[in-house]
Amino acid sequence: MRDDERAPTIEWRTVVEADFPLLSDWLARPHVHRYWHHDFTPEGVARDFGPGTRGEEAGEDLLVFVDGQPTALVQRSRIADYAEDFEEFTEIVEVPPGAVTIDYLIADLSRTGQGLGSAIIRAVVADTWSSYPDCPAIIVGVVAGNVASWRALEKAGFRRVGEGDMEPDNPIDAPLHVISRIDRPESGPSQRQ
């Protein structure tokens, strides 16, 4: 990093209903919609994100701010809380009890390809170890064709642990997914081996 560069300030909060128009805009953007193939109408966003805002979902929808500006969305959940996801992951890799998964997007195309995704992932990973104290690992499946996404995971410290077929978000994608994992860091010499 050059002297005139500084690491961005990355913060987040839970998505609230007032964020739905912003999410609708983001999900409609071509570079986002390509891999987050969601209904971006107001009704679709309310249907997909409303349960999370009301505490009816096990997972979290996090609105990420970079230097104070809304920039990204991260979804975080325990894999076992979603039976279909759990089944798909366990057909390819071992999923330890308490394992978490994340999904993410950067809203502004001009902010992609600059390491921001990896920075956000690193921040969310660090928070996950404290927010989910029994989480032994974070495991993420990314459609194989989304090279930028699985490379961002690698740059954030994840390692590839498998490849296999999972239901793609966008039906134009082949089912092949890259599965990446990062394990909770050891807390020190007193931790059992």
Side-chain angles (χ1 to χ4, degrees), residues 141-154:
V142 175
V143 69
N146 191 350
V147 176
S149 182
W150 54 260
R151 287 287 298 134
L153 288 165
E154 290 175 354

Side-chain angles (χ1 to χ4, degrees), residues 10 12 16 19 50 74 92-93 103 111-112 116 136 138 142 167 193:
I10 299 171
W12 55 82
V16 296
D19 299 322
V74 171
I92 303 168
V93 297
D103 201 357
R111 303 288 310 263
T112 63
L116 182 58
I138 302 168
V142 175
E167 185 70 31
Q193 297 294 326

Side-chain angles (χ1 to χ4, degrees), residues 60-71:
E60 301 173 276
D61 296 319
L62 306 171
L63 187 65
V64 179
F65 294 81
V66 177
D67 295 331
Q69 296 299 310
T71 304

Side-chain angles (χ1 to χ4, degrees), residues 36 58-62 73-86 88-89 93 95-104 121 124-125 128-129 132 135-142 149 153 158 166 177-182:
W36 279 65
E60 301 173 276
D61 296 319
L62 306 171
L73 176 70
V74 171
Q75 292 183 317
R76 177 170 62 179
S77 63
R78 292 188 190 280
I79 296 171
D81 286 343
Y82 294 88
E84 288 179 18
D85 293 343
F86 183 77
E88 284 190 310
F89 274 114
V93 297
V95 177
V100 167
T101 191
I102 59 172
D103 201 357
Y104 40 84
I121 292 166
V124 169
V125 165
T128 300
W129 304 139
Y132 293 77
C135 171
I138 302 168
I139 303 171
V140 181
V142 175
S149 182
L153 288 165
F158 283 72
M166 299 176 81
H177 279 64
V178 171
I179 311 299
S180 301
R181 173 177 172 153
I182 191 167

